[in-house]
Amino acid sequence: MSEPIEMAYRKVSSPLARKVGELILLKYDLECSLECLINWQEDLPQGDANASFINAANQSFVRDAIITFHACFDSACPENLDASVIYADNPEALHFFNWCKDLRDTWVAHRFGPSRLAEAVFQIHPETGDVLGEGEMTVAYLGPPYETRDMMIRLAEHAHAYATSLLTKHRELLLDEVNSLFPNQRKKLDLAGFRIAGPEEFRMGRRKYRNVNRDMK
């Protein structure tokens, strides 16, 4: 009986292969965003013992969903989506996309604007003008209304379907590229694998990190 053949995953390092890798990450991020939106639950009734926890969890879910979703449309990323293309046939969806982007810019990521307001305040005696007390007044936006959840999910699902079709198309092209190689060339392809980045490497771009670790086996 012949010995079993040990199969190993190998990779190609062509521009098309790098593009496919970025599209895989794009699809993954959209799935993470959708998962957060699906887990966003309606608040419990006022006074419930778990209400404060649920409120905090909901804010975390919707913030992460918004920032992860809109990162997929960031033109600074190697691969990104174009909202004007994806939602071209749905002006309402494009308008909602831009509203969500404003939330990302002003409430989630950069924290400027009227979604967060605070003042130091004083109690002044109306006749003498004496200071009777001091305190603070704060207004903080807690997030979009729960009624927007279904629309956000549809927005993300549409983008996910688009990214999936884009990935499928390019994976087929990549398979054609690998099949075009001679068998001996395919056998010499680098082994696929990752080494977890250390703290000093986290700010590296992916291409630089791969170059630093190109001899990893």
Side-chain angles (χ1 to χ4, degrees), residues 104-123:
R104 193 283 304 267
D105 292 344
T106 62
W107 176 58
V108 180
H110 303 299
R111 302 302 192 91
F112 66 86
S115 63
R116 290 157 52 84
L117 300 170
E119 297 280 2
V121 297
F122 302 89
Q123 288 181 321

Side-chain angles (χ1 to χ4, degrees), residues 120-200:
V121 297
F122 302 89
Q123 288 181 321
I124 306 297
H125 193 285
E127 296 178 359
T128 66
D130 293 339
V131 177
L132 302 179
E134 61 176 310
E136 56 190 43
M137 187 177 293
T138 306
V139 173
Y141 184 63
L142 297 180
Y146 184 75
E147 290 72 22
T148 63
R149 172 179 175 268
D150 287 346
M151 185 64 177
M152 286 186 177
I153 288 175
R154 288 197 296 272
L155 206 69
E157 284 177 338
H158 196 66
H160 180 264
Y162 183 91
T164 299
S165 66
L166 206 59
L167 175 59
T168 300
K169 171 187 171 183
H170 285 86
R171 288 189 82 144
E172 290 170 354
L173 293 173
L174 184 60
L175 179 59
D176 290 341
E177 183 178 289
V178 174
N179 281 329
S180 70
L181 299 174
F182 292 110
N184 282 340
Q185 290 177 303
R186 291 197 290 266
K187 289 192 291 184
K188 293 177 182 178
L189 290 172
D190 292 335
L191 289 171
F194 297 113
R195 182 180 67 78
I196 303 302
E200 70 285 355

Side-chain angles (χ1 to χ4, degrees), residues 49-78:
N50 292 321
S52 61
F53 171 79
I54 294 296
N55 287 336
N58 281 340
Q59 284 194 54
S60 298
F61 280 134
V62 72
R63 280 178 175 150
D64 195 65
I66 289 172
I67 202 165
T68 304
F69 174 75
H70 282 280
C72 297
F73 294 82
D74 187 346
S75 60
C77 294

